[in-house]
Every structure is written in structure tokens, then in C-alpha cells.
Amino acid sequence: MATLTKAVTIIGSGPAGLTAGLYSARANLNPLVIEGLEAGGQLMLTTAVDNFPGFADGIMGPDLMAAMRAQAERFGAEIIRGNVTAVDLSSRPFVITTGDDRIETQTLIVATGATAKLLGLPSERALMGHGVSTCATCDGFFFRDKPIAVIGGGDSALEEAIFLTRFASHVTLVHRRDTLRASKIMQDKAMANPKITFEWDTEVVEVLDPSRGAVNGVVLRNLKTEARKTLAVDGVFVAIGHTPNTGLFSGQLETDAGGYLLTHDGSRTSVEGVFACGDVQDHVYRQAITAAGSGCMAALDAERYLESIHPPPTTSSPS
Amino acid sequence: MASDKITTFTDGNFDTDVLQAATPVLVDFWAEWCGPCRALAPTMDALAGDYDGRVLIGKLNVDENPGITVKYMVRGIPTVMLFKGGEVVDQIVGVADKAEFQKVLDKHL
């Protein structure tokens, strides 16, 4: 196992991680970016991104991430594949372990993002890949001319529902409340789509049928009337929000009640020399542009911290 | 894909190359348009090197091979199934790291 020594190590390669990589590379800090399993982050699972400033006609999520990656590499960021298995923040330098490498680093920028939440039903877990999905762009293809359900009421749920109408014969949106959290523009689009209907005040209590090895329906419960019914669908797309990826830091970095990393004075975490950016510390905005912005902040904060512990030689200034 | 140790499975050769194979076979169901599938490709390449001669590792394009895709009820990718003696003995859905695949393979060798 090789040991690498770094001034700046970044975990995560979404907009936050790659922007942190770009800024620290331009500051000549030769940062190491560890991609993680979901290289490129959540935008790799999207189609057109229409709200990233500078792209007047929109850009595909994966293309935007490829461009961010190329830009960080152009200035010398070293980007490696691999998944971090352990982080030790109790001594300095910090120690990071991946499957193949051991990394000693003076500063750490955490940009591990967030992962789609599941409903938590055993039947849902059993049918992953066989009709249960959290990625419409990956799996929509399998439901050509078939009825499906999308669970959730936020922007991502509606975006998935609208995207899936390209393939599915019908999309039923199942939502726990009687109003949507999604933005007005997404609501208008979904309401106007003839292939989308809504099940309000409703939750999924079971995905059918694990004994068949594939989805053929969902059991729904109306939360107001307690009435149950079975909806025949071939696919279930779960879009009920995200959980921050903080397992590596449990007991080492302070989090809020929802598990998001707490930051103060910009991107500083509860351990000096460790900075956080992107969705792992943000459950409010969760946009590509805010993630990129916070990645820039983390890189600048890390650079200033390094200067404070290793002041540059003061040749030009009088002592 | 980069590695020449990765076999290409199809509706046409699945019976002979996977179901009747002498060794266990790891089949990666994938498609060009699937970002996470591309992220998984280097892991498959590495496994094909490590398990050369012990496990046959290959990919099946779900776009081009609907027969096998439907037969095994694959409705999400990447899905990786391990076949032994013509039967599915294990599967991993979604992107996972090399260690997780090693654990599954070592259990069945």
C-alpha cells in the first residue's frame, strides 16, 4: 500500500469537490481529489441542467462534470479513482485510507455529498434493480410503454416524473402531502403533462412482489382515510430526498440533527484543518452552483489555514 | 472497454458462454447511456485481471440484448450477476467498490 503526502486532500468529485480542486490547484497546492464511488456526483444522474450560470442553452449534467474535471486537471489537480474506507482526524497529519492507498494530509476538504434516501421497506431493498430505482436517467429505458410510480413531491421527484413520461405509458406521482414542495415551474410542467396523475396524502407501504423477483405493483395507504389499495406498476422510482454521506466522520466531526456537517466562519468544521462544502453540509440550497461556490470557499479557507501554520518567508516586508 | 480480459456476452452466446461455462461467470449488465455503468467499468477491468482463469468476467449490453435482459428481469443498471452452474448465485445492484465484488466472488470460489 503506497503512502502519499499532501497539503490538501479533497474527498468527493461533484461540483463542490472539483471546484475546491480547481482553486487549490491554482494556488499551487497540488491537491489530491479522491473521486468516490459516485464519481461526478449527483449531476451524473441528471439530463439537462438549465440553471448553471454561463450556459444560456443549458448543458447536460455529465458534460458539465466532465468540463469541471478537465478544468481542475488543467491546473494540476490529481484526481484518483477509489473509495475512502477510513479517515483518522485524531492526529496530524490526518490519515485517509482508500482500497489501495494511505494518504497523509495537512488539510482535508470534505465534499462527499448526499445519497438518495430509500423508503426503508424490505420489499424495496429486495427489488432494487428489478423495478425499484433511484435513477430515472439510468433506468427509465426499462419501462417503455409500462406504468410506473414516482414517490416524492420535491423538484427531483417531478423532474424524474416528467423525464419518465418519455418511456412510460403512465406515471403516478405518490406524495405524502396534499401540496408539492417543488418549484412553481416544475409543478406547472408536471400538472400540464397528460401522462402524469397524482395520489395525494398517500404513502407506499409495500412494493410487490419480491417472490416474483420483479415489481408488479405497490400497496398504497391514504394517510387521511387509512384506505389501502394496490396500484399495478412495473417500476417504482424513489425520490424522497437525500441523506448526507458522513459515515466516515461519525464521532469525529460535529453534525446537526439531520446528520449534515456543521460549518462555521465559512467552511470550517469542528476540527481545525478540516473544511466542508457542497451537499454534505447543506440541506437548504442543494444546487450545483451553491455547491461549486462552497467548494471555492473551502479551498480558500484551506489555503489560508496552511499559510497560518506555515507562514511564507517574509523577504520583502520589514521585520 | 480497455481490458481484453472482459468478454462480451450477447443473447446469442449467453447459453454457451455463461450458463454452460466451467468456471463461475460475472455478468455486468450495462448501457452506453448509463453514467454509473461507466464509473463501474474500471472496477470490472481490475477484477478481470485479478481473477483471470478463475472467474470469467464480461458485460452484456442491455440495449442490444433484450432477450437475456428480460429473462433475468433486469430493470436497473448497473446490475452485476454471478452465475455458477447455470444459476444466478449472487448479485450486486448499483455501483460498488472492488472490495465488495471480491467478497462476493471469494464466497463462491
Side-chain angles (χ1 to χ4, degrees):
Chain A
M1 183 175 277
T3 294
L4 307 172
T5 307
K6 284 285 170 183
V8 179
T9 301
I10 298 157
I11 309 180
S13 55
L18 291 177
T19 305
L22 169 66
Y23 272 77
S24 358
R26 286 175 56 87
N28 281 330
L29 294 169
N30 305 313
L32 176 71
V33 180
I34 306 169
E35 277 188 334
L37 279 185
E38 293 164 48
Q42 293 172 51
L43 280 188
M44 298 300 286
L45 308 179
T46 64
T47 53
V49 177
D50 283 324
N51 56 10
F52 202 90
F55 297 93
D57 300 320
I59 179 167
M60 296 303 278
D63 294 343
L64 179 59
M65 295 324 296
M68 283 192 197
R69 191 191 157 99
Q71 193 176 1
E73 283 183 318
R74 179 180 145 210
F75 293 102
E78 183 187 350
I79 303 179
I80 59 167
R81 293 185 182 281
N83 192 36
V84 175
T85 51
V87 171
D88 183 357
L89 306 179
S90 65
S91 56
R92 282 158 207 269
F94 306 127
V95 179
I96 295 161
T97 315
T98 70
D100 302 316
D101 299 301
R102 182 175 180 276
I103 298 133
E104 295 182 353
T105 189
Q106 289 176 280
T107 63
L108 174 64
I109 296 177
V110 180
T112 48
T115 300
K117 255 188 216 165
L118 292 171
L119 298 165
L121 305 167
S123 54
E124 168 193 49
R125 174 134 212 95
L127 292 167
M128 282 305 283
H130 301 282
V132 176
S133 175
T134 57
C135 177
T137 56
C138 306
D139 301 335
F141 158 86
F142 296 99
F143 303 94
R144 190 155 286 156
D145 301 323
K146 303 218 162 94
I148 58 160
V150 173
I151 321 299
D155 271 338
S156 7
L158 292 201
E159 198 184 324
E160 298 221 332
I162 293 163
F163 173 78
L164 288 164
T165 58
R166 294 188 203 180
F167 304 97
S169 57
H170 187 82
V171 176
T172 306
L173 196 106
V174 180
H175 185 43
R176 291 174 56 87
R177 302 177 200 287
D178 58 6
T179 52
L180 297 165
R181 281 191 319 275
S183 59
K184 185 78 173 55
I185 187 167
M186 294 301 288
Q187 292 199 29
D188 290 347
K189 267 193 192 170
M191 303 275 186
N193 192 310
K195 278 189 174 180
I196 301 178
T197 55
F198 296 82
E199 288 283 348
W200 304 105
D201 301 307
T202 297
E203 68 173 15
V204 176
V205 291
E206 201 66 68
V207 182
L208 305 172
D209 178 353
S211 69
R212 248 184 95 247
V215 172
N216 64 359
V218 281
V219 180
L220 303 178
R221 178 170 77 107
N222 185 298
L223 295 161
K224 287 196 170 148
T225 65
E226 290 293 322
R228 289 183 182 230
K229 66 174 174 188
T230 299
L231 181 71
V233 290
D234 287 80
V236 182
F237 287 80
V238 183
I240 55 171
H242 292 83
T243 330
N245 298 322
T246 53
L248 288 170
F249 313 102
S250 108
Q252 305 193 80
L253 294 176
E254 282 175 19
T255 62
D256 68 10
Y260 288 84
L261 294 185
L262 285 173
T263 54
H264 64 92
D265 300 312
S267 65
R268 289 164 180 81
T269 67
S270 55
V271 171
E272 201 170 292
V274 181
F275 307 88
C277 51
D279 283 10
V280 73
Q281 51 86 56
D282 169 24
H283 58 90
V284 179
Y285 304 104
R286 302 184 301 111
Q287 302 300 302
I289 185 67
T290 51
S294 69
C296 160
M297 289 162 61
L300 295 177
D301 289 342
E303 183 186 348
R304 281 175 200 151
Y305 169 79
L306 285 167
E307 279 169 8
S308 75
I309 57 169
H310 303 295
T314 51
T315 47
S316 56
S317 60
S319 51
Chain B
M1 289 298 116
S3 172
D4 56 2
K5 296 199 167 73
I6 297 274
T7 310
T8 301
F9 300 125
T10 63
D11 281 355
N13 71 13
F14 203 83
D15 193 47
T16 51
D17 290 10
V18 177
L19 301 182
Q20 294 172 34
T23 61
V25 187
L26 196 66
V27 182
D28 172 15
F29 291 85
W30 74 290
E32 288 285 354
W33 39 260
C34 161
C37 298
R38 284 197 295 273
L40 188 60
T43 304
M44 288 295 134
D45 288 348
L47 290 169
D50 293 353
Y51 288 86
D52 192 20
R54 293 185 291 155
V55 180
L56 180 63
I57 296 181
K59 340 176 33 111
L60 183 128
N61 184 316
V62 297
D63 260 335
E64 293 160 8
N65 300 287
I68 292 298
T69 303
V70 169
K71 181 175 172 197
Y72 290 95
M73 293 189 277
V74 172
R75 291 189 201 161
I77 49 174
T79 288
V80 179
M81 291 185 181
L82 181 65
F83 288 80
K84 202 174 166 183
E87 301 287 333
V88 181
V89 291
D90 228 322
Q91 64 170 335
I92 291 181
V93 177
V95 180
D97 63 8
K98 198 174 148 192
E100 200 166 327
F101 284 99
Q102 285 167 333
K103 212 161 41 180
V104 166
L105 289 174
D106 294 343
K107 193 165 79 185
H108 294 283
L109 279 178

